[in-house]
């Protein structure tokens, strides 16, 4: 009898993102430890692989004003996870930390500390920043081209792994030395090899550079795809790149970020999802989303009116997220608006919808299972819309159904994050 592949699940703390409905009366603090603890304990009760924290190195601005979602603050990830290590036992703890504005020795030390304190449950989500807007918060500041930031990130990860491997498995410290394009360091690392050998490395990104970086470096890929076919294409593409680096498909787990909206009936779930998206995209945020693409002031436009008939301008206001091809995105949105007779706000809601799985607990469990068995994902990172109770319903209603299907674990069988993910032990390269 063939043992079926079981899915992996992780929980993303809602925090400050476009999925959060912070105006909901059930929403609590984004920075009180009680909120982090509630979501982490819920994830561990649901036997999730890990708890995932995003990072923001500068509050997002537009026209000199901070986004409403950012006014709640952005705590430092690893500090929060060190505290959560004391109130959880098996749950993995993943921190997003930027490879552009940090240094290998200092970050490797902080992550190794978390891995020791948690008994081998640490993970690092590697992200990069290319803009001088973020860099203004740092002494070095500056700007990195896309190719340069991925090159720096790759060397950063390799250097951190050299530091973690500078202690032998038997507990003997050895000097390290690294000379490269971005880093030239030498000395002795301050911590012995951690319980899982070294922290798990997560990488987010759908671009070609991101896919190649993941195939060469990552243990987990945090991605986004909305359909089964898109998921299968991404899965096959990234897994197919692993052999180039001497890796097997089991060495990398692909876990798209998803949202779930549950209802007693399919119609009830659809109604709840529509209401949720309506609250996530206010009239003001709809115009901000449009300006992010058009690159010009659209404050005079009616959110309930048609899309602009002017073409986007290439220069965008400082601090806004850039899109690779504004003209193509604008035309796609116009076509969507024309086809369905949508206003600006309705188009933004339709085009940026993130309710990946909507339905009854039974149908959502079946759809999640299908994604894994069809080769579209190894699991999912759930992004709830509510802090901190947005995961409760999924754990109470969907997880038991996944377990009944044999699609998800009924108990933790290991103590480290690597064991939860089924990743091989890292080979020591001293």
């Amino acid at each position: 009898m063939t043992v079926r592949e079981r899915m992996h699940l992780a929980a993303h703390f809602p925090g400050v993102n476009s999925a959060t409905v912070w105006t909901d009366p059930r929403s609590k603090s984004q920075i009180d430890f009680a909120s982090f603890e509630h979501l982490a304990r819920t994830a561990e009760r649901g036997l999730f692989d890990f708890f995932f924290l995003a990072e923001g190195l500068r509050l997002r601005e537009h026209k000199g004003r901070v986004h409403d979602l950012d006014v709640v603050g952005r705590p430092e990830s690893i500090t929060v996870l060190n505290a959560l290590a004391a109130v959880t036992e098996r749950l993995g703890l993943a921190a997003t930390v930027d490879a552009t504005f940090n240094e290998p020795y200092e970050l490797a030390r902080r992550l190794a500390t978390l891995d020791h304190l948690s008994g081998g449950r640490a993970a690092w989500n590697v992200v990069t920043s290319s803009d001088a807007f973020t860099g203004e918060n740092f002494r070095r500041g500056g700007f990195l081209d896309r190719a340069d930031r991925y090159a720096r990130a790759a060397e950063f990860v390799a250097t951190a792994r050299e530091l973690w491997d500078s202690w032998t498995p038997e507990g003997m410290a050895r000097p390290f030395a690294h000379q490269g394009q971005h880093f030239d360091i030498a000395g002795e690392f301050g911590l012995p090899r951690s319980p899982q050998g070294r922290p798990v490395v997560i990488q987010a990104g759908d671009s070609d550079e991101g896919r190649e970086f993941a195939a060469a470096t990552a243990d987990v890929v945090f991605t986004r795809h909305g359909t089964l076919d898109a998921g299968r294409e991404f899965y096959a593409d990234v897994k197919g790149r692993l052999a180039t680096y001497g890796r097997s498909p089991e060495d990398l787990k692909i876990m798209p970020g998803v949202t779930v909206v549950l209802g007693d009936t399919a119609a009830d779930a659809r109604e709840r999802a529509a209401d949720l998206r309506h609250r996530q995209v206010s009239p003001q945020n709809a115009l901000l989303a449009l300006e992010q693409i058009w690159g010009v002031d659209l404050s005079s436009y009616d959110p309930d009116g048609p899309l602009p008939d002017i073409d986007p301008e290439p220069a965008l206001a400082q601090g806004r997220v850039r899109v690779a091809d504004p003209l193509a995105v604008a035309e796609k949105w116009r076509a969507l608006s024309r086809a369905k007779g949508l206003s600006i706000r309705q188009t933004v809601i339709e085009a940026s919808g993130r309710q990946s799985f909507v339905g009854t607990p039974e149908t959502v469990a079946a759809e999640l299972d299908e994604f894994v068995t069809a080769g579209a994902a190894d699991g999912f990172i759930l992004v709830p819309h509510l802090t901190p109770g947005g995961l409760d319903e999924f754990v109470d209603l969907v997880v038991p159904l996944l377990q009944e299907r044999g699609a998800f674990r009924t108990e933790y069988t290991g103590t480290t994050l690597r064991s939860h993910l089924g990743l091989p032990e890292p080979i020591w390269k001293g």
Side-chain angles (χ1 to χ4, degrees):
M1 178 178 176
T2 303
V3 178
R4 63 168 295 167
E5 182 73 18
R6 289 182 173 175
M7 75 174 62
H8 300 280
L9 293 175
H12 186 289
F13 185 78
V16 282
N17 60 53
S18 59
T20 308
V21 183
W22 61 270
T23 55
D24 191 297
R26 297 169 295 171
S27 180
K28 306 300 181 185
S29 172
Q30 305 280 358
I31 59 175
D32 284 354
F33 182 68
S35 293
F36 296 105
E37 182 178 10
H38 180 107
L39 195 79
R41 286 187 182 274
T42 303
E44 187 162 75
R45 178 166 60 85
L47 304 176
F48 279 38
D49 293 64
F50 60 90
F51 174 93
F52 182 88
L53 278 177
E55 179 80 301
L57 295 180
R58 179 160 180 170
L59 298 180
R60 291 166 293 183
E61 297 176 17
H62 185 65
K63 299 176 183 175
R65 298 180 63 186
V66 175
H67 285 206
D68 54 5
L69 286 175
D70 277 21
V71 298
V72 297
R74 290 176 168 235
E76 195 278 319
S77 299
I78 297 180
T79 303
V80 174
L81 295 178
N82 278 318
L84 289 177
V87 297
T88 56
E89 296 180 356
R90 299 292 185 92
L91 185 68
L93 304 168
T96 301
V97 186
D98 198 293
T100 304
F101 299 114
N102 284 282
E103 297 298 324
Y105 185 94
E106 190 267 345
L107 180 56
R109 180 167 171 262
R110 291 166 61 206
L111 288 167
T113 299
L114 174 61
D115 210 41
H116 278 285
L117 291 178
S118 65
R121 297 186 279 139
W124 170 26
N125 178 42
V126 184
V127 296
T128 63
S129 292
S130 60
D131 59 285
F133 175 72
T134 300
E136 288 177 355
N137 276 351
F138 297 86
R139 181 178 61 184
R140 181 161 45 85
F143 177 88
L144 286 178
D145 289 331
R146 189 180 192 89
D148 290 336
R149 63 188 173 106
Y150 272 109
R152 178 184 168 89
E155 187 178 341
F156 197 123
V157 174
T159 306
R161 285 174 169 165
E162 290 174 23
L163 295 170
W164 292 325
D165 282 348
S166 66
W167 283 67
T168 70
E170 294 74 30
M172 180 181 296
R174 295 185 177 184
F176 70 84
H178 175 93
Q179 289 184 313
Q181 178 185 356
H182 295 277
F183 309 109
D184 184 357
I185 58 176
E188 293 183 351
F189 191 56
L191 286 171
R193 196 165 172 82
S194 64
Q196 59 177 346
R198 58 188 183 223
V200 168
V201 170
I202 304 170
Q203 189 269 336
D206 291 344
S207 67
D208 187 70
E209 298 99 325
R211 296 183 187 202
E212 201 66 28
F213 179 63
T217 304
D219 300 307
V220 176
V221 176
F222 178 26
T223 184
R224 181 191 303 180
H225 43 251
T227 67
L228 184 66
D229 288 342
R232 293 179 70 177
E233 182 280 324
F234 181 89
Y235 190 93
D237 178 54
V238 175
K239 295 272 187 174
R241 301 179 189 224
L242 292 169
T244 302
Y245 303 97
R247 307 178 69 195
S248 67
E250 295 74 27
D251 293 343
L252 178 67
K253 306 303 178 184
I254 296 177
M255 300 178 66
V258 300
T259 59
V260 172
V261 181
L262 301 174
D264 295 332
T265 65
D268 178 41
R270 288 193 298 270
E271 183 177 342
R272 291 181 68 182
D275 174 68
L276 181 60
R277 283 304 294 152
H278 193 263
R279 287 188 288 156
Q280 288 171 330
V281 182
S282 67
Q284 295 81 4
N285 284 339
L287 289 178
L288 288 178
L290 222 63
E291 290 180 351
Q292 178 176 325
I293 297 168
W294 262 259
V296 295
D297 185 350
L298 300 175
S299 58
S300 63
Y301 281 74
D302 181 2
D304 295 320
L307 269 67
D309 55 7
I310 59 174
D311 287 332
E313 295 185 6
L316 292 175
Q318 186 186 55
R320 296 298 292 154
V321 179
R322 294 168 173 81
V323 294
D325 190 345
L327 286 171
V329 175
E331 185 50 44
K332 180 180 178 181
W333 282 30
R334 283 171 177 157
L336 175 65
S337 176
R338 288 192 298 267
K340 296 190 176 184
L342 303 178
S343 67
I344 289 175
R345 187 181 184 191
Q346 291 169 332
T347 301
V348 173
I349 290 173
E350 182 84 8
S352 61
R354 294 193 62 190
Q355 278 75 39
S356 313
F357 297 92
V358 178
T360 65
E362 292 78 12
T363 58
V364 167
E367 290 173 3
L368 291 169
D369 193 14
E370 182 185 11
F371 263 70
V372 175
T373 57
D378 293 307
F380 308 92
I381 298 177
L382 272 73
V383 185
H385 68 276
L386 196 63
T387 305
L391 197 64
D392 295 10
E393 195 174 40
F394 183 91
V395 168
D396 293 336
L397 301 179
V398 179
V399 167
L401 297 175
L402 293 172
Q403 292 168 331
E404 289 177 10
R405 300 174 71 92
F408 189 62
R409 66 171 64 92
T410 56
E411 62 180 352
Y412 288 115
T413 56
T415 59
T416 68
L417 178 53
R418 286 188 180 276
S419 66
H420 301 341
L421 292 167
L423 294 170
E425 290 296 318
I427 299 173
W428 178 66
K429 299 179 180 179

